[in-house]
Amino acid sequence: MAKKILSVFLCAVIAFAFTSCADSKNDSKEQSENKPELVYNTFDSAYSSYDASAVSAYADLCKAVCAGESNVRFNLGMFDNVMQLFYTSFPLNVLVKDIKKNDDGSGITITYKYDKSEVIKKSDAFTKKINDIVKKSKNGGENERVFAINAYNYTASNTKKTDAENQTVYNTIMTGEGSAQTIAGMLSFILRQGGLTSSQLIASDAGGAGWGVCLAELDGENYLFDPATETIVNGGKQLVYFGMTTEDAQKEGLSDFIYTNKAEAPTCDNPYFDTCRQCKAWEISDDDKALLITQNNDEIVQIAL
């Protein structure tokens, strides 16, 4: 009798163990499926002429870095283009110590500055933050002008310009501090993650020093954005330096706008957001169809979105 009871007990324990294991696997699978991801195939529009196969390899590299993986297979004839995309367009490149071509030509081997668990931890925290910013900026809709305004406001009002050396877009996103270049790079990355075409540009300020601005396309038109100056001048709260033309930016003392590959940036000449130059307060209408700008003379002007 005792043996029979023991046998029944052991069967129950084994069944429970299998059930728990299955539940654990299902929970793990569900967590994996719900884990937020970045959009891996977005990149600085300066490199829009690159072949689709190079973009695909770049996306594979970005995904591998987020997972802390060491190997990525692709045709090494594309190596230079893939590296160009990776180091100009993907902020998590700061986690990488080195990338080497495999001797057998099969692809690349990645080494990291941290162990795998730490790489994944940093990647997950970054991914969550970017996803949260994009979601908040889109405000439940797909109006790209609304998204751009909110993303610009988030960037300008949540960053502080510092003169510290070796700033990166990653650090600026995670700490809120950076140079004019990395603040512009932060905005450009957020816009690209939200589906817009954008680039980080290098410009010269009135004194000839380097400055960073963002170029983005809204409804087929190019505009310039200077979130760092917005932060400095207006505490990041206004839209004075949002949606500028090249002429607007030049009036603020900026010149010589070039891409990160040193090519000359296109001229932005659509004055659609010209009213923003006199902005002292703003709000987006409840239906997301209008931007209401209170100008310096207290007149309220409406811009259709």
Side-chain angles (χ1 to χ4, degrees), residues 18-55:
F18 276 116
T19 302
S20 298
C21 182
D23 289 343
S24 177
K25 287 182 179 179
N26 288 334
D27 289 344
S28 177
K29 182 179 180 181
E30 184 175 340
Q31 289 174 1
S32 177
E33 290 175 349
N34 293 332
K35 183 178 177 179
E37 289 190 341
L38 297 171
V39 181
Y40 299 113
N41 62 349
T42 66
F43 55 92
D44 192 299
S45 60
Y47 308 97
S48 58
S49 64
Y50 279 15
D51 187 85
S53 56
V55 174

Side-chain angles (χ1 to χ4, degrees), residues 64-76:
V65 168
C66 286
E69 296 174 356
S70 298
N71 297 288
V72 181
R73 297 177 64 87
F74 62 84
N75 185 334
L76 291 180

